[in-house]
Amino acid sequence: MTTSSRNSIVRRMVPFALIAGTAIVTTAAVANLGKTTSAYSPIPIRVPSDAIVGQEIAILTDAPSVPAPITRDHATKVIVNLDIVEKKMRLADGVEYTMWTFGGSVPGKFIRVREGDLVELHLKNESSSTMPHNIDLHAVTGPGGGAKTSLTMPGQESIFTFTAMNPGLFVYHCATSPVPMHMANGMYGMILVEPKEGLAKVDREYYVMQSEFYTKGDFGAKGVQELDMDKGVDEKPTYVVFNGSVDALTGDKALKAKAGDRVRIFIGDAGPNLTSSFHVIGEVFDNVYVEGGTVAQHNVQTTLIPAGGSSIVEFGVENPGDLILVDHSIFRAFNKGTLGMIKVEGAENKKVFAAVKGLGVSGE
């Protein structure tokens, strides 16, 4: 057989070989369809099964404070009292905004419960409110995350219960129509469902939440500002801030730590539109529980947090100095307000970092 004849036969066989190979792969795929392999986790149908022992009133905190870790080893009934308050609050120096709040603060109160707890949530809407409100907790398995049963008129109260079945860090927010308006006016917060085994011990825990404000006036325009819905629809915020206002985490309000501390930040992104690129200048995250779940990434520089999502970041602080919290979509940090600080005190360790020469070096 000549060389040209062999090449001709090979060319004719190639399509058949490809078809046969595809058939083998397809057959194997069909054979494995629906089977659980080690690469995937089974999907549980969760049924509350923990015995509920006693009851307690939840201790709620304003950002950046966090309630103390849960030390009990059993599930209990946790009563959460959350008041809706509409009031003028500082957005920036010389700038006020009528915030709609959970508990009188933006972000709303931090709620901390344990996996398996039965939560009884009391939502009260102050009589001075101008709107009905409700609450959608992303930790809730139920209609609207609780929103469907919690629509509360001014001066009224709604109550519902749910079992905290999934551990993690979850956003809650108002879901009354128009939802974007209620969220853009400050109606959001976070709830932590601690796993039954608890979280690793740290020296400091902080609550930080990023959000946007869409005002009719430009950034820094003085006076009482109102919501600009057109800016919201166009996703062009006037302000992007941590904890409800510009400079909420700077100066005297900066977070604090000491060299040698282990720090945990519960960080959320209320949106209502933008994804956060959360970064701490001068640190590397040792652990990042991505999107507030139970799986950790390690040695992370910047973590993405979707609107309506969260993350838990942990890191050891090795040296004194100022650590800067930013959304690394960096114009937001330096021109719209997502800038915060952790002031770290303690003894300097030049093995960790040492300035040798430059404009910032003493004696130069």
Side-chain angles (χ1 to χ4, degrees):
M1 183 182 292
T2 64
T3 301
S4 60
S5 297
R6 284 197 299 270
N7 290 341
S8 177
I9 292 170
V10 169
R11 285 195 296 271
R12 290 198 298 272
M13 290 178 64
V14 166
F16 293 104
L18 291 174
I19 292 170
T22 302
I24 292 169
V25 171
T26 304
T27 301
V30 171
N32 286 314
L33 187 64
K35 290 185 178 180
T36 300
T37 69
S38 59
Y40 300 94
S41 298
I43 301 172
I45 301 299
R46 300 176 189 271
V47 179
S49 59
D50 293 309
I52 303 300
V53 180
Q55 71 176 38
E56 62 185 48
I57 306 295
I59 296 174
L60 310 179
T61 57
D62 295 330
S65 298
V66 177
I70 294 170
T71 57
R72 54 184 163 80
D73 60 1
H74 61 272
T76 193
K77 179 180 178 180
V78 180
I79 299 172
V80 175
N81 294 306
L82 206 51
D83 295 340
I84 294 169
V85 182
E86 299 177 9
K87 64 177 184 177
K88 286 187 177 69
M89 297 178 66
R90 177 190 176 276
L91 180 56
D93 287 344
V95 183
E96 288 188 315
Y97 190 96
T98 300
M99 308 282 190
W100 299 352
T101 76
F102 287 106
S105 62
V106 177
K109 302 288 188 180
F110 194 97
I111 306 168
R112 191 170 197 157
V113 298
R114 179 184 180 272
E115 180 185 1
D117 282 348
L118 176 64
V119 181
E120 181 178 287
L121 195 143
H122 295 241
L123 188 68
K124 298 178 182 178
N125 191 358
E126 280 204 346
S127 58
S128 59
S129 293
T130 61
M131 297 283 289
H133 299 289
N134 64 9
I135 188 168
D136 168 6
L137 301 101
H138 292 185
V140 169
T141 300
K148 192 171 181 179
T149 57
S150 64
L151 185 64
T152 310
M153 300 301 292
Q156 301 298 311
E157 177 183 16
S158 297
I159 304 171
F160 65 92
T161 66
F162 68 94
T163 298
M165 296 192 294
N166 297 76
L169 179 64
F170 301 92
V171 169
Y172 68 79
H173 60 87
C174 185
T176 301
S177 182
V179 179
M181 175 186 290
H182 287 251
M183 294 188 67
N185 283 338
M187 298 200 76
Y188 39 77
M190 286 203 288
I191 176 171
L192 173 68
V193 180
E194 278 199 31
K196 292 179 180 179
E197 63 273 17
L199 300 177
K201 185 178 179 180
V202 294
D203 300 292
R204 298 174 189 268
E205 291 182 326
Y206 290 115
Y207 168 26
V208 177
M209 200 161 196
Q210 179 172 321
S211 62
E212 305 131 35
F213 287 90
Y214 299 83
T215 61
K216 291 187 181 296
D218 293 336
F219 183 93
K222 306 300 182 184
V224 179
Q225 291 296 316
E226 297 179 354
L227 172 65
D228 187 325
M229 283 292 285
D230 289 335
K231 284 184 180 179
V233 172
D234 292 338
E235 301 188 6
K236 294 180 178 179
T238 319
Y239 296 86
V240 187
V241 299
F242 290 136
N243 288 359
S245 65
V246 176
D247 295 328
L249 296 175
T250 65
D252 293 339
K253 294 174 285 189
L255 307 180
K256 293 178 173 57
K258 294 181 180 179
D261 280 353
R262 291 175 174 83
V263 176
R264 175 181 293 129
I265 298 177
F266 299 107
I267 170 79
D269 181 4
N273 287 319
L274 304 181
T275 294
S276 173
S277 300
F278 184 64
H279 175 75
V280 175
I281 299 172
E283 263 299 343
V284 176
F285 302 140
D286 294 296
N287 303 318
V288 175
Y289 292 87
V290 181
E291 297 178 7
T294 52
V295 176
Q297 288 271 27
H298 307 293
N299 306 314
V300 176
Q301 57 188 317
T302 301
T303 189
L304 290 175
I305 308 171
S310 67
S311 187
I312 303 172
V313 301
E314 300 172 340
F315 51 93
V317 180
E318 290 81 12
N319 230 23
D322 293 338
L323 305 176
I324 310 300
L325 283 63
V326 297
D327 179 340
H328 217 296
S329 297
I330 209 69
F331 274 101
R332 300 176 191 169
F334 292 99
N335 297 84
K336 295 195 172 186
T338 39
L339 197 66
M341 185 178 295
I342 305 175
K343 289 185 172 293
V344 182
E345 299 178 343
E348 187 177 11
N349 184 345
K350 292 190 175 182
K351 289 185 177 181
V352 174
F353 179 85
V356 178
K357 184 178 182 179
L359 292 176
V361 179
S362 177
E364 287 288 320

